[in-house]
Every structure is written in structure tokens, then in C-alpha cells.
Amino acid sequence: MTKFNDLPSDDNSYLFDPKILKDINWENATCTFKNNISIANPGDSLVMRPLRDDDFHQDYLELLGQLTKVGKIEEETFFKRFEEMKECCGTYYIIVIEDLKNNRIIGTSSLIIEHKFIHTAGQRGRIEDVVVDNEFRGKQLGKLLVQALVLVAKKLGVYKISLECKIHNIPFYELFGFKKDEQSFMIQRFEEMY
């Protein structure tokens, strides 16, 4: 059975080098986990890793469908978007939790890095698309996904990290040090294409 430390760093099928997850300092976590849950040990028969180009076949898009509308995406479209994200080296960090028993993705979250001119040409992080499969909720996996991305963002040297969430989720995100800001978040939605 594949273990976290066995993930090859030279495997070109990953969105980003798995070594980034291996090398984060788990001692800097701001929240605690029961049962020794960590990036290296997300649970029985589970592995946390970067998104891979073949995750289309492991129900990745179906999982995202539990969060929001996904639309009809063919394998070719998935692979093309994956390659576009990968070419933006240092911008997209999508992690997944794979259930090795059933060969499917049961959790995911994304860290997007914005490269700026402000803050001495600094980087800003944004966490998005946090979702855990209905069957696996309540097992600390959402907490693990967010904590991992916060630690990755720190390792990458962002000057700030943010996320959008519903009001009832604010206490959950406060566990990781997120605070409500005085700024107002505004949005403009355009008609969906599908």
C-alpha cells in the first residue's frame, strides 16, 4: 500500500512536487488532531497528495460536485486544464485525499498563489474549493486539508492568506488563525456558460 513518504518527487503526473507536502513543519499547526492524524497519516487506507493528471478517473469532479456546480467536463478538457495549471509553476497547489481501498478521491482543497508587485513583489495565498465526501465527514479531513494548505502557504512565504466562507463556517476557519477583516468582500457573477 502506498504511503505518503513513498510518493515519488520525480513523477511528472502531479500538479506540484509532493516534496512540498513532505517538507512542511507539522509542529507549526495551529490546531490539534485526534488519533495522530497528520499529512503523513490522514487515516486508514487514506493518502494525502497533490492532484494528479489521472484523478479524472478517481471521481475528483464528482467530489467537487458536492461543493458546487461543476458542469459536464470531458477527460480531454480535464487534462488540458490540469496542464494549464501545471504550466503556471508556483501558482496552483491542489491537494487531495485518496481512499486507496476504493481508488477514489474523497477530499480536496486548493491554494492559489497570486504573484504581486506590492509587498516587495510578494505572494498572496487564497484557499478555495474545500470539500470532503459526505461519507467521510466528521473524521477531521477538512481540518487536515485546510491546515496543510496554511502550512504550505507559510512555507512558500506568502505575506497574507485569505478565503471566502459562509458565516456559519467562520468558527471552523478561526481554528487556523483566520480573522474577519474590516474590508467588505464584493462579488459580481456572470451568467454561467453551461
Side-chain angles (χ1 to χ4, degrees):
M1 186 173 293
T2 304
K3 291 290 183 198
F4 178 80
N5 291 329
D6 298 334
L7 296 176
S9 288
D10 61 347
D11 186 337
N12 204 26
S13 66
Y14 290 110
L15 185 61
F16 65 92
D17 188 343
K19 190 174 184 326
I20 291 172
L21 287 175
K22 274 188 213 178
D23 291 346
I24 62 174
N25 187 351
W26 196 245
E27 291 177 10
N28 290 334
T30 56
C31 54
T32 58
F33 294 86
K34 299 175 196 164
N35 303 322
N36 295 318
I37 295 293
S38 69
I39 292 171
N41 178 35
D44 188 37
S45 297
L46 301 178
V47 66
M48 180 182 279
R49 60 171 173 77
L51 183 71
R52 270 195 329 238
D53 59 6
D54 64 348
D55 284 335
F56 177 87
H57 297 289
Q58 293 183 262
D59 298 336
Y60 176 70
L61 297 176
E62 288 79 359
L63 175 64
L64 287 176
Q66 292 182 32
L67 177 67
T68 190
K69 293 179 186 177
V70 175
K72 181 145 176 62
I73 298 176
E74 301 294 332
E75 183 176 6
E76 181 180 330
T77 304
F78 175 89
F79 188 76
K80 182 179 179 202
R81 179 51 43 96
F82 180 92
E83 287 301 315
E84 290 168 348
M85 289 177 160
K86 190 171 183 173
E87 286 174 15
C88 297
C89 189
T91 300
Y92 294 96
Y93 296 86
I94 301 174
I95 57 176
V96 298
I97 298 175
E98 180 182 1
D99 175 4
L100 298 172
K101 249 190 259 185
N102 297 305
N103 196 34
R104 68 186 186 105
I105 304 303
I106 55 91
T108 189
S109 58
S110 303
L111 170 66
I112 294 87
I113 301 294
E114 296 177 31
H115 306 277
K116 304 282 203 174
F117 286 107
I118 61 173
H119 295 275
T120 320
Q123 301 178 114
R124 174 187 197 266
R126 183 183 312 273
I127 291 180
E128 296 187 349
D129 304 333
V130 179
V131 62
V132 173
D133 185 273
N134 292 327
E135 292 178 40
F136 288 84
R137 291 188 185 157
K139 299 178 188 270
Q140 306 179 90
L141 298 178
K143 189 169 149 182
L144 181 64
L145 288 162
V146 174
Q147 183 66 83
L149 288 182
V150 168
L151 294 173
V152 167
K154 282 183 180 179
K155 180 178 176 54
L156 296 173
V158 302
Y159 67 85
K160 155 171 103 169
I161 188 170
S162 65
L163 55 80
E164 302 159 21
C165 72
K166 295 188 171 141
I167 292 172
H168 69 273
N169 287 333
I170 290 173
F172 172 75
Y173 289 109
E174 287 176 335
L175 294 171
F176 310 98
F178 288 96
K179 297 176 184 142
K180 286 177 69 173
D181 199 322
E182 304 87 41
Q183 297 175 341
S184 293
F185 174 74
M186 298 179 72
I187 190 168
Q188 183 177 10
R189 293 191 186 270
F190 299 99
E191 187 175 332
E192 294 185 26
M193 304 298 283
Y194 54 92

